[in-house]
Amino acid sequence: MAQVLPPGSIVVADWHQCKDSKEYFSKILHKKRRKNFGLLESPVMPPHALNIPNMHYETTGIETTVVYWPAKLRESGRVLFFRLQLWDCGENALRRFDHLLPSCKEQVDAVLFLFSFTDRTSFDDLSNQIAKWTGPSAGRVVKLVVGTKFDLFMHCDVAERDVKDFQETWSIPVLRMGGEVSDGLGDVAPLLNCLAENLWHHDCVAAGSASHHSQTETGTLL
């Protein structure tokens, strides 16, 4: 089974904090908030500010979100601008409508499995979620697990040992997100960097490249 790609092994993890990144992040920020891009929009267009809700709810159908994220390659120093089109589908909707999951799987490059550190049942259900993505085509998909509400220590229902055992068993990276929601880059940088890093590595391996300098369709070389 493939090993987990160490975070920061391909892209500079803290590049969003460096001065030379401002030129790129200014294209996706407005008044320190990430911009909201439509399906046909790009950072050069004047989109509206993205308002992230403080209260979370289960998606009733399929919701799509476009996220642009620049990442700097560690070895070459080149910058890639990723266009990530995220499809979110609620679990209840998947059970009610059989056509939703096939639609989400169509031409997909990556899948994010979510659980809450305050809900043991959601963690135990990860194996069932992953089982839905088995098969020859699913083997070519980048898989990441995101644990939410990691900062609610008093209500934590999932031990770190369990997370470590899961990661070793499934060879899937597990990312931790806090319960507080903000528009800062620091909150989303670990997740988006990890996603960009794994997508770039995945495409380089698929292309038979021995290094991570080749350009692929995942990112646009700047």
Side-chain angles (χ1 to χ4, degrees):
M1 188 175 290
Q3 294 183 347
V4 175
L5 190 68
S9 59
I10 297 177
V11 305
V12 182
D14 60 348
W15 183 61
H16 62 284
Q17 299 176 339
C18 301
K19 290 184 178 180
D20 62 330
S21 70
K22 292 183 179 180
E23 176 185 356
Y24 301 95
F25 281 100
S26 64
K27 301 179 186 298
I28 63 172
L29 292 175
H30 177 65
K31 296 182 179 180
K32 298 182 180 181
R33 298 168 70 116
R34 285 180 295 128
K35 295 178 180 178
N36 180 29
F37 297 95
L39 295 178
L40 301 180
E41 292 179 323
S42 65
V44 297
M45 300 179 68
H48 301 288
L50 173 60
N51 295 317
I52 303 178
N54 292 323
M55 297 297 293
H56 297 280
Y57 59 92
E58 182 174 346
T59 308
T60 55
I62 294 180
E63 292 184 4
T64 60
T65 306
V66 175
V67 175
Y68 287 88
W69 186 256
K72 186 175 184 179
L73 296 179
R74 180 171 296 279
E75 292 186 7
S76 67
R78 293 174 174 175
V79 177
L80 303 176
F81 222 118
F82 290 81
R83 181 185 186 275
L84 307 171
Q85 183 175 326
L86 307 177
W87 286 46
D88 182 14
C89 189
E91 186 65 25
N92 287 332
L94 288 177
R95 294 193 183 102
R96 291 181 59 190
F97 306 104
D98 295 338
H99 67 281
L100 290 183
L101 184 58
S103 297
C104 291
K105 286 184 175 182
E106 211 170 302
Q107 297 182 336
V108 70
D109 296 303
V111 58
L112 303 179
F113 302 102
L114 274 66
F115 77 94
S116 171
F117 274 93
T118 62
D119 182 4
R120 178 72 193 195
T121 302
S122 65
F123 178 77
D124 293 337
D125 191 53
L126 284 175
S127 58
N128 295 327
Q129 294 186 42
I130 297 173
K132 298 176 182 178
W133 293 83
T134 57
S137 59
R140 299 191 294 268
V141 174
V142 171
K143 300 181 181 69
L144 301 177
V145 171
V146 180
T148 63
K149 300 183 179 180
F150 178 65
D151 54 344
L152 301 181
F153 306 106
M154 297 297 295
H155 305 282
C156 185
D157 204 20
V158 180
E160 275 297 312
R161 181 62 196 175
D162 295 331
V163 175
K164 183 179 179 181
D165 290 344
F166 171 87
Q167 187 166 272
E168 292 177 351
T169 300
W170 291 94
S171 295
I172 297 178
V174 178
L175 296 148
R176 297 156 176 80
M177 302 292 289
E180 293 294 327
V181 179
S182 71
D183 296 316
L185 294 177
D187 293 335
V188 298
L191 172 59
L192 295 180
N193 278 333
C194 183
L195 183 57
E197 191 167 49
N198 278 271
L199 285 170
W200 179 256
H201 173 71
H202 182 272
D203 277 8
C204 287
V205 171
S209 175
S211 68
H212 301 287
H213 299 295
S214 302
Q215 181 176 358
T216 69
E217 293 180 359
T218 300
T220 302
L221 197 60
L222 300 181

